Amino acid sequence: QVQLGESGGGLVQAGGSLRLSCAASGSTSSWYCMGWFRQVPGKEREFVAAISWNGGSTIYADSVKGRFTISRDNNKNSVYLQMNSLKPEDTAVYYCAADRTVAIAAVKTKPMNYAYWGQGIQVTVSS
């Protein structure tokens, strides 16, 4: 079992930046790929970014490409999402997710492929 906890959300003006952090605890000795998703009321959970266990592979949703950067520090069992040039449409609850993998370079983009989720954290971008 893995527990995930997000931090770093909040309110920011359009054009500003935020850095989300996700700390993992529990059975972290296995290989895990990590991802960030977001959700607004009434809509499905949306993929934002994912990173492989070794950090060598990353993938982004088109809507955030060039503005968001995902990274991880396995020594700290943490994954990060640096969000720059934020837009009002980035407003959502952001979720950190993890899933075991047998391939150190694997990334996953679908919510159904992740077994572990954080509780979510609100990001609000004002216009």
Side-chain angles (χ1 to χ4, degrees):
Q1 284 283 52
V2 172
Q3 294 79 44
L4 303 174
E6 301 97 337
S7 61
L11 174 64
V12 64
Q13 288 188 332
S17 299
L18 281 175
R19 187 189 193 217
L20 302 183
S21 299
C22 174
S25 60
S27 301
T28 57
S29 60
S30 300
W31 291 348
Y32 288 93
C33 56
M34 305 288 291
W36 287 96
F37 292 78
R38 65 188 183 187
Q39 190 170 23
V40 297
K43 292 191 175 182
E44 293 186 353
R45 196 162 293 189
E46 175 189 28
F47 169 74
V48 175
I51 188 167
S52 61
W53 166 250
N54 66 354
S57 298
T58 57
I59 188 169
Y60 297 91
D62 287 343
S63 58
V64 307
K65 203 172 293 183
R67 301 188 297 122
F68 292 10
T69 302
I70 189 171
S71 61
R72 67 188 298 163
D73 183 341
N74 289 344
N75 291 325
K76 297 181 179 179
N77 293 322
S78 294
V79 65
Y80 309 98
L81 186 69
Q82 178 66 43
M83 305 185 294
N84 298 329
S85 301
L86 282 161
K87 305 175 181 179
E89 51 263 44
D90 293 318
T91 295
V93 176
Y94 283 71
Y95 296 90
C96 173
D99 197 67
R100 289 190 180 92
T101 179
V102 296
I104 61 173
V107 289
K108 301 181 182 182
T109 63
K110 297 181 180 179
M112 63 183 294
N113 291 331
Y114 285 88
Y116 304 103
W117 292 86
Q119 78 283 0
I121 192 163
Q122 180 70 44
V123 171
T124 303
V125 184
S126 62
S127 56

